[in-house]
């Protein structure tokens, strides 16, 4: 673990120096362990880029309690998607239209990502993790401690100096947010 944000009343990293900033009124609610970040769909946590947030191989994980079936959990956006809407991210786990996703990107495109059908029940806590091993190019998406999808990614992770987000993804426009999360996220880590 290089960074861990438990969401216990602040956005501090309790492992390293990657403290976050609470944006647009993030609040706190009871979490899976202690308190959790509570998002209303317009707020998020932003963490400035640092070398420790740019590993060759990565595991991104958190607990979440979603109010809807769409929203970014953890994302490190690179740029707008050159092939369409949204963004491409160095790494990201998110919910969208009844599925849980995990993916990395190179400098031109995202994926291939992993997809697992999931319509989260509001009020129920779920644990998710996404891993990518640079040496084998293997990626795995986990739900509640069990691997649910594994695949091959024919690329390495591309990084730039953009921030990391908890509870949203940036779309690099005047709107600012892409697939904002509504609910609670707890114990986010990389």
């Amino acid at each position: 673990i290089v960074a861990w944000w438990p969401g216990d009343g602040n956005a501090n990293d309790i492992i390293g120096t990657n403290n976050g900033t609470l944006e647009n009124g993030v609040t706190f609610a009871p979490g899976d362990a202690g308190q959790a970040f509570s998002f209303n769909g317009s707020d998020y946590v932003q963490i400035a880029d640092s070398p420790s947030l740019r590993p060759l191989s990565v595991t991104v994980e958190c607990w979440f309690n979603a109010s809807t079936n769409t929203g970014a959990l953890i994302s490190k956006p690179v740029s707008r998607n050159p092939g369409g809407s949204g963004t491409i991210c160095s790494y990201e786990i998110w919910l969208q239209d009844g599925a849980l996703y995990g993916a990395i990107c190179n400098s031109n495109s995202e994926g291939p990502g992993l997809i697992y059908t999931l319509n989260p029940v509001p009020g129920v806590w779920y644990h998710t993790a996404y891993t990518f091993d640079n040496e084998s190019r293997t990626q795995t998406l986990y739900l509640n401690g069990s691997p649910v999808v594994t695949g091959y990614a024919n690329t390495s992770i591309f990084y730039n100096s953009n921030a990391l987000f908890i509870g949203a993804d940036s779309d690099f426009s005047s709107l600012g947010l892409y697939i904002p999360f509504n609910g609670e996220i707890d114990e986010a880590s990389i």
Side-chain angles (χ1 to χ4, degrees), residues 17-88:
T17 59
N18 297 298
N19 293 333
T21 304
L22 303 172
E23 301 288 347
N24 297 341
V26 175
T27 59
F28 300 91
D32 184 70
Q35 289 183 309
F37 298 111
S38 184
F39 301 100
N40 64 17
S42 66
D43 48 4
Y44 56 95
V45 175
Q46 183 171 330
I47 299 102
D49 179 54
S50 78
S52 66
L53 299 177
R54 299 179 182 194
L56 289 175
S57 297
V58 69
T59 297
V60 182
E61 62 95 20
C62 68
W63 287 89
F64 68 92
N65 174 8
S67 299
T68 65
N69 69 354
T70 297
L73 301 171
I74 301 171
S75 68
K76 184 144 184 11
V78 170
S79 67
R80 287 192 59 79
N81 184 349
S85 64
T87 61
I88 57 173

Side-chain angles (χ1 to χ4, degrees), residues 89-94 101-105 110-114 130 139:
C89 296
S90 297
Y91 47 79
E92 181 175 22
I93 49 177
W94 76 100
Y101 292 79
I104 61 164
C105 80
E110 192 161 78
L114 300 177
Y130 169 78
Q139 56 182 343

Side-chain angles (χ1 to χ4, degrees), residues 120-137:
V121 176
V124 175
W125 283 95
Y126 299 87
H127 181 265
T128 189
Y130 169 78
T131 64
F132 169 73
D133 179 74
N134 187 60
E135 187 173 320
S136 68
R137 302 289 199 259

